[in-house]
Amino acid sequence: MNSQFHVPSWARTHLAALRMFAVATVLLGLVYPLAMVGVAQAPGLHHRAEGSLVAFQGQIVGSSLLGQSFTDSGGNPLPQYFQTRPSNAGKGYDPTSSSAGNLGPEDIADVDGRSSLLTTICGRSVAIAKFEGLPDSAAARPYCTPGGVGAVLAVFGPRDRTGQVATVQRVISVNEACPATPFVSEWRGVAVQCAPPGTDVAPAVLVPVRGDAPADPVIPPDAVTASGSGLDPQISPAYAQLQADRIAKQRGMTREQVLALIRAHTTQRTMGFMGEPNVNVLELNLDLDRHHPVARS
């Protein structure tokens, strides 16, 4: 009689799975994480592993990897600091709500009190020009009205086979609510009207009007658009230079001193060809506070 104990195949399968589970838990749940913690303590890696935190006067004030706003308690930009690009992360630069705006180039009409992406960009351009003390012409952008909304017409009338309006019957400046004066007086021989409250533009063809703004606006794109993550800590050198006169005035510096500081904080393209030159706003503002503090009255 064969007295050898026979383990059923289903039991052997489960035991093998349990052994694999135990081995994987030890290797991947203990050994690997501890090894990575050890590697992170190596010189040159420790600071990054800790979150690239930035200290000022003995206190942690942020991370060089995460943007932050430089505003007062009311959300108004502080004139003595370089300003960051807009952010759609929560109420702005919230690392727990990293996100983009999810609005595309076809979002050009303000609907039900919600500003379109185009109007938002146009409005930001006007606000920045005013904040920087620039002439009104500096705010000009293609497809924007001088008042800072999207230059978009809703054209009503019967359509041809291509979907275009064959005979124009009515034209509304869709983003200029009454009693505003439309940015153009007529379109294809028909007077342009302001947009009455509750106007339904679904039956109309939306026509964005480029205008005569330069193809390369004075105010750069990153000044008026948010990044994909909403957390970018950098701005373009062009946007930093746009703010130089204001910073010089607020800090008692010359423009050349400010520009030299911008150049010192400009990071060039990775390996000479990847990405674009950029300026870390937090590090730049901390350098201002260290060496060119605002005079207190």
Side-chain angles (χ1 to χ4, degrees):
M1 179 180 294
N2 187 0
S3 60
Q4 184 177 4
F5 178 73
H6 178 72
V7 180
S9 60
W10 65 265
R12 290 197 301 270
T13 301
H14 282 73
L15 288 173
L18 287 172
R19 287 196 297 270
M20 188 60 202
F21 174 75
V23 171
T25 298
V26 172
L27 290 178
L28 302 180
L30 294 175
V31 177
Y32 178 76
L34 291 174
M36 291 299 98
V37 171
V39 170
Q41 304 311 307
L45 296 178
H46 178 70
H47 175 68
R48 295 184 180 184
E50 294 296 318
S52 299
L53 300 179
V54 178
F56 180 68
Q57 296 182 345
Q59 293 185 338
I60 300 298
V61 295
S63 167
S64 62
L65 302 178
L66 296 175
Q68 58 179 274
S69 300
F70 292 87
T71 56
D72 60 20
S73 58
N76 303 303
L78 294 169
Q80 68 268 34
Y81 289 110
F82 283 93
Q83 294 299 307
T84 53
R85 66 186 303 178
S87 171
N88 288 315
K91 294 183 179 180
Y93 289 102
D94 180 357
T96 65
S97 301
S98 176
S99 67
N102 294 324
L103 299 177
E106 294 185 358
D107 190 59
I108 60 176
D110 302 348
V111 179
D112 298 330
R114 180 192 67 82
S115 294
S116 63
L117 176 61
L118 178 58
T119 287
T120 298
I121 289 173
C122 297
R124 286 170 177 166
S125 193
V126 169
I128 289 174
K130 181 179 180 180
F131 183 64
E132 300 297 342
L134 301 174
D136 293 343
S137 59
R141 306 189 79 83
Y143 304 105
C144 292
T145 72
V149 299
V152 182
L153 300 177
V155 183
F156 295 81
R159 305 190 190 188
D160 58 24
R161 293 182 178 180
T162 65
Q164 299 303 309
V165 176
T167 303
V168 178
Q169 296 178 337
R170 184 186 182 199
V171 184
I172 291 175
S173 178
V174 68
N175 295 328
E176 294 182 301
C178 293
T181 300
F183 67 97
V184 290
S185 60
E186 66 173 18
W187 181 258
R188 290 173 57 179
V190 176
V192 177
Q193 305 170 355
C194 57
T199 301
D200 181 13
V201 297
V205 173
L206 296 182
V207 179
V209 180
R210 188 195 182 285
D212 57 1
D216 187 15
V218 173
I219 298 174
D222 63 303
V224 295
T225 58
S227 66
S229 68
L231 303 177
D232 280 15
Q234 305 99 348
I235 58 175
S236 66
Y239 187 25
Q241 293 163 12
L242 184 74
Q243 305 179 59
D245 286 340
R246 168 174 52 82
I247 294 297
K249 180 179 179 181
Q250 292 289 323
R251 299 275 178 168
M253 303 167 63
T254 65
R255 175 179 172 82
E256 184 50 44
Q257 285 178 308
V258 178
L259 294 178
L261 201 60
I262 293 172
R263 289 193 293 269
H265 285 274
T266 298
T267 301
Q268 299 301 323
R269 291 180 174 90
T270 304
M271 300 179 66
F273 68 94
M274 292 191 294
E276 295 291 336
N278 60 75
V279 181
N280 189 290
V281 180
L282 173 60
E283 294 175 351
L284 180 58
N285 281 334
L286 289 179
D287 206 344
L288 283 174
D289 281 346
R290 289 189 187 98
H291 301 108
H292 303 278
V294 177
R296 299 184 182 277
S297 57

